[in-house]
């Protein structure tokens, strides 16, 4: 019988996963094949024609992103929830907003969000520009009076100069503020993880256990993680009910259903990227998983809540060694940290 599916071959030749990833019978499975290259990200995210990324726009957006004066109390910036020290998230189960109000959803990382086609857990924003002012306008988050914000920005000499260089001839308003922040966010990317280096030919970039984890992750008959976490950014851009226990509570968060009232979307949330996932615990939209091991245990069990569960959610029957190998693979999706220089904010 002629077998052409690499993963079918993999299922036959894996003798044992005992000892967290030992004994692959075929060494070539430890090397990336042509079909694996689909996981390599494009060199840079696509930007809209009217907001191509330039150094001046990045500089402006970076200042706006880190400036707490864009909030009503002057103490909360975009970076307060999306911190470079916390994987561009905040390390909390769910976010804290205006006056430290505990919010209902976890802060998603902005890493590689420029590759997404929809933004926010429920997909209510269509682009980085569209979402940029959302937290400022929300009374639960930054609670900013935008009229007062634009008045101040137009009167601040350094910001006026920065806007003039970034968007010459355009007013300082919600459009250019959103464009600037989006331009900076397009620079927050991850594409040089051990997994990426392995794909590009560095055979020692990942351990044997991590490579086995990738094969299990990609195998529809085993981990089946690729049902939702597609190449190259480890997300399908879709929305799924994954069976979190919170869905069995009274008045649970309905997720995407609030935006698109279709029965299948009740309790469904956007598939997050897994890139830099080791930096962004806790996990899930409600922050209910503290570790990647807990994430795998949830999927291995097929979820907790069965009410309106996504058809992709089924018990996996992975052995402890197999689950550990997938966790090890996910840990190989983090790009090594590089020094990050905070902006010097305008102050006159």
């Amino acid at each position: 019988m002629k077998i052409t599916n690499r993963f079918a071959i993999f299922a036959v030749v894996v003798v044992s996963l005992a000892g967290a990833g030992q004994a692959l019978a075929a060494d070539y499975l430890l090397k990336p094949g042509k079909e694996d290259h689909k996981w390599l990200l494009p060199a840079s995210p696509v930007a809209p024609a009217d907001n191509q990324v330039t150094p001046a726009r990045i500089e402006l957006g970076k200042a706006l992103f880190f400036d707490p004066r864009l909030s009503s109390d002057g103490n909360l910036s975009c970076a307060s929830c999306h911190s470079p020290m916390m994987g561009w998230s905040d390390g909390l189960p769910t976010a804290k907003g205006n006056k430290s109000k505990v919010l209902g959803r976890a802060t998603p990382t902005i890493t590689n969000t420029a590759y997404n086609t929809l933004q926010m857990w429920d997909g209510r924003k269509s682009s980085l520009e569209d979402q940029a002012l959302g937290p400022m306008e929300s009374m639960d988050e930054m609670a900013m009076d935008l009229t007062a914000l634009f008045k101040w920005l137009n009167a601040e000499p350094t910001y006026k100069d920065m806007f003039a260089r970034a968007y010459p001839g355009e007013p300082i308003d919600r459009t250019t503020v959103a464009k600037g922040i989006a331009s900076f966010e397009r620079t927050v990317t991850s594409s040089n993880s051990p997994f990426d280096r392995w794909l590009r030919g560095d055979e020692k970039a990942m351990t044997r256990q991590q490579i086995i984890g990738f094969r299990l992750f990609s195998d529809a008959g085993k981990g089946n993680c690729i049902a939702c976490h597609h190449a190259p950014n480890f997300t399908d851009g879709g929305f799924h009910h994954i069976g979190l226990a919170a869905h069995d509570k009274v008045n649970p968060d309905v997720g995407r259903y609030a935006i698109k009232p279709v029965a299948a979307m009740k309790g469904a949330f956007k598939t997050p990227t897994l890139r830099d996932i080791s930096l962004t615990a806790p996990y899930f939209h409600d922050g209910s998983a503290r570790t990647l091991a807990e994430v795998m245990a949830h999927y291995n069990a097929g979820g907790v809540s069965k009410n309106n569960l996504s058809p992709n959610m089924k018990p996996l029957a992975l052995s402890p060694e197999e689950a550990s190998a997938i966790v090890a693979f996910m840990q190989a999706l983090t790009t090594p940290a590089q020094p990050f220089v905070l902006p010097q904010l305008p102050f006159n």
Side-chain angles (χ1 to χ4, degrees):
M1 180 177 67
K2 183 178 180 181
I3 301 176
T4 58
N5 187 312
R6 284 170 58 87
F7 298 128
I9 296 173
F10 171 72
V12 174
V13 300
V14 173
V15 177
S16 171
L17 283 169
Q22 297 177 3
L24 270 178
D27 284 343
Y28 70 87
L29 288 171
L30 296 177
K31 300 177 182 179
K34 289 182 179 180
E35 67 271 25
D36 296 326
H37 291 165
K38 67 185 179 182
W39 293 95
L40 287 170
L41 280 162
S44 59
V46 175
D50 66 345
N51 195 29
Q52 293 296 296
V53 176
T54 68
R57 292 172 180 180
I58 295 169
E59 180 187 26
L60 170 64
K62 187 176 184 180
L64 293 169
F65 190 90
F66 281 88
D67 199 329
R69 291 169 293 183
L70 272 63
S71 65
S72 60
D73 286 350
N75 62 357
L76 194 65
S77 69
C78 302
S80 298
C81 292
H82 300 283
S83 170
M85 297 182 294
M86 307 292 291
W88 296 97
S89 183
D90 58 13
L92 299 173
T94 59
K96 287 186 177 181
N98 187 38
K99 302 186 186 303
S100 295
K101 179 180 180 178
V102 177
L103 306 181
R105 296 175 182 173
T107 298
T109 181
I110 64 166
T111 300
N112 284 11
T113 194
Y115 291 99
N116 292 345
T117 54
L118 292 174
Q119 307 296 330
M120 309 294 193
W121 279 110
D122 55 17
R124 66 186 182 274
K125 300 294 184 180
S126 61
S127 67
L128 290 179
E129 285 79 5
D130 187 29
Q131 64 81 37
L133 270 65
M136 295 180 214
E137 295 179 290
S138 170
M139 295 308 295
D140 288 335
E141 297 182 58
M142 297 169 74
M144 186 60 185
D145 179 342
L146 294 186
T147 300
L149 171 63
F150 301 141
K151 182 178 179 180
W152 172 67
L153 290 172
N154 276 282
E156 211 293 326
T158 304
Y159 265 130
K160 284 183 67 176
D161 179 64
M162 294 174 74
F163 273 96
R165 287 185 287 109
Y167 300 101
E170 297 185 45
I172 300 175
D173 59 10
R174 64 181 303 121
T175 299
T176 48
V177 169
K179 284 181 176 181
I181 292 173
S183 292
F184 168 68
E185 290 178 336
R186 287 192 173 92
T187 69
V188 183
T189 59
S190 173
S191 59
N192 193 36
S193 67
F195 176 59
D196 295 302
R197 297 196 298 276
W198 178 76
L199 290 173
R200 292 194 290 262
D202 182 355
E203 296 179 11
K204 297 182 179 180
M206 289 206 298
T207 66
R208 180 179 290 257
Q209 183 192 26
Q210 288 170 334
I211 298 169
I212 292 174
F214 169 55
R215 299 305 183 197
L216 292 166
F217 180 100
S218 305
D219 188 343
K222 294 296 293 184
N224 195 33
C225 307
I226 58 168
C228 299
H229 295 282
H230 293 186
N233 199 28
F234 289 87
T235 174
D236 60 357
F239 302 85
H240 307 276
H241 184 318
I242 60 171
L244 298 178
H247 291 301
D248 287 336
K249 295 180 180 179
V250 177
N251 298 321
D253 189 338
V254 297
R256 179 65 170 166
Y257 184 80
I259 310 303
K260 189 174 182 179
V262 176
M265 292 294 99
K266 187 171 287 187
F269 290 83
K270 188 176 71 176
T271 305
T273 180
L274 299 182
R275 290 184 174 273
D276 283 10
I277 192 69
S278 64
L279 305 178
T280 58
Y283 304 106
F284 300 138
H285 79 270
D286 63 351
S288 57
R290 296 171 297 172
T291 66
L292 289 173
E294 289 184 8
V295 170
M296 282 308 305
H298 174 83
Y299 283 111
N300 208 16
V304 176
S305 172
K306 306 302 180 181
N307 183 25
N308 208 40
L309 191 65
S310 168
N312 291 323
M313 287 294 298
K314 298 176 182 178
L316 300 177
L318 295 172
S319 71
E321 292 79 14
E322 289 171 327
S324 294
I326 294 177
V327 168
F329 165 62
M330 289 192 288
Q331 291 169 338
L333 299 178
T334 296
T335 295
Q338 298 296 316
F340 183 81
V341 179
L342 295 173
Q344 182 172 341
L345 300 180
F347 190 79
N348 287 291

